[in-house]
Amino acid sequence: KEMGIMMERFRSGGIAVLKLNTHNQWQPRVLTVTKEVHVFNKTDDARYKGIDSCPKGLLWLKKFSDSEQSVASITGKKGKGGLFFSTIESVSVTKGIHPLSKKQQKGVFKDSYTFVLFSNDKGSKREIYFRVANKDDVVLLSAGFQAVIDRVKNDEHLKSKGFKLTVDTLMSGGNAAAGQPSPLSPLLSPTKPLSVTRKAVANPISDHRWEV
């Protein structure tokens, strides 16, 4: 439920936040998502009923724009405008990390919460800090992102399980119940002794007669 609400907010105007830059300064950004979608493997787990797909990536833009909602913001030359949901490992919420500017302390973020995303992209770890304006939004983001993390983990489990089943099926001789032989059957069948037939060799007996 929370994941669906969060994604709808992202798509329909985004969620205004402050993002911490490399100089420890808070900059206004809008959280939205990519138009490109990842389709999850089908699961029988009731916890993920109805969660069949998810945008591929989270984006933080200077302003909401339909034309910029692409994975190019993640994979392009700059590549700092977002991250893939599949790389997010955990989230946390805290208060008071890195002070706001005097102007920001008087604005809508004066009572804001610090929301942190922890990502790991093939060993490259990142911590992305945001300021979220109110408690309702930070609760929504926490629950929504956790739902994404759990569904991605479930999807990875299904993939690995499917791969293992495929390998086991191949190695065990196919789907016997369905009467389907394994593609590896010729390689897996017991080795039969080779019958060696000696080739007939012609031997000369005389200049005009041959014996086989």
Side-chain angles (χ1 to χ4, degrees), residues 187-206:
L187 301 178
L188 299 173
S189 58
T191 304
K192 296 180 180 180
L194 296 175
S195 57
V196 179
T197 304
R198 296 188 62 182
K199 186 176 180 181
V201 179
N203 297 311
I205 300 301
S206 66

Side-chain angles (χ1 to χ4, degrees), residues 72-90:
S73 297
I74 304 173
T75 60
K77 291 182 179 180
K78 294 182 179 179
K80 299 298 181 182
L83 78 168
F84 290 105
F85 279 109
S86 60
T87 67
I88 301 175
E89 291 189 327
S90 61

Side-chain angles (χ1 to χ4, degrees), residues 35 48 84 107 130 151 180 199:
K35 291 181 178 179
Y48 310 117
F84 290 105
F130 300 99
R151 185 63 176 96
Q180 298 175 352
K199 186 176 180 181

Side-chain angles (χ1 to χ4, degrees), residues 149-166:
I149 293 169
D150 292 341
R151 185 63 176 96
V152 168
K153 287 182 178 178
N154 171 258
D155 194 55
E156 292 173 348
H157 172 71
L158 291 171
K159 286 180 181 178
S160 62
K161 183 179 179 182
F163 175 76
K164 184 177 184 301
L165 286 173
T166 301

Side-chain angles (χ1 to χ4, degrees), residues 83-163:
L83 78 168
F84 290 105
F85 279 109
S86 60
T87 67
I88 301 175
E89 291 189 327
S90 61
V91 300
S92 71
V93 178
T94 184
K95 243 185 177 300
I97 293 181
H98 302 293
L100 300 172
S101 68
K102 290 183 179 180
K103 183 179 179 180
Q104 291 168 339
Q105 288 173 10
K106 298 176 181 180
V108 295
F109 290 95
K110 62 180 180 180
D111 296 320
S112 58
Y113 295 80
T114 301
F115 180 72
V116 191
L117 291 177
F118 300 88
S119 72
N120 187 348
D121 187 5
K122 299 177 182 177
S124 177
K125 296 185 177 182
R126 295 174 67 187
E127 295 180 10
I128 303 100
Y129 290 80
F130 300 99
R131 282 275 193 164
V132 182
N134 55 68
K135 184 177 179 179
D136 289 342
D137 279 355
V138 81
V139 169
L140 175 64
L141 291 175
S142 298
F145 275 101
Q146 191 59 55
V148 174
I149 293 169
D150 292 341
R151 185 63 176 96
V152 168
K153 287 182 178 178
N154 171 258
D155 194 55
E156 292 173 348
H157 172 71
L158 291 171
K159 286 180 181 178
S160 62
K161 183 179 179 182
F163 175 76

Side-chain angles (χ1 to χ4, degrees), residues 29-74:
R29 291 292 183 267
V30 176
L31 295 182
T32 183
V33 288
T34 62
K35 291 181 178 179
E36 296 89 348
V37 173
H38 172 76
V39 178
F40 294 121
N41 286 284
K42 186 178 180 181
T43 179
D44 294 327
D45 195 322
R47 293 174 297 174
Y48 310 117
K49 186 177 180 180
I51 307 178
D52 302 319
S53 64
C54 174
K56 286 190 174 182
L58 172 74
L59 304 175
W60 42 86
L61 309 177
K62 291 183 179 180
K63 61 180 181 179
F64 185 81
S65 171
D66 289 335
S67 62
E68 294 184 35
Q69 291 175 295
S70 168
V71 293
S73 297
I74 304 173

Side-chain angles (χ1 to χ4, degrees), residues 9-28:
R9 287 276 305 275
F10 284 154
R11 293 189 183 100
S12 59
I15 296 178
V17 297
L18 297 176
K19 180 183 177 295
L20 193 69
N21 65 15
T22 55
H23 302 291
N24 290 334
Q25 298 171 330
W26 293 102
Q27 297 179 317

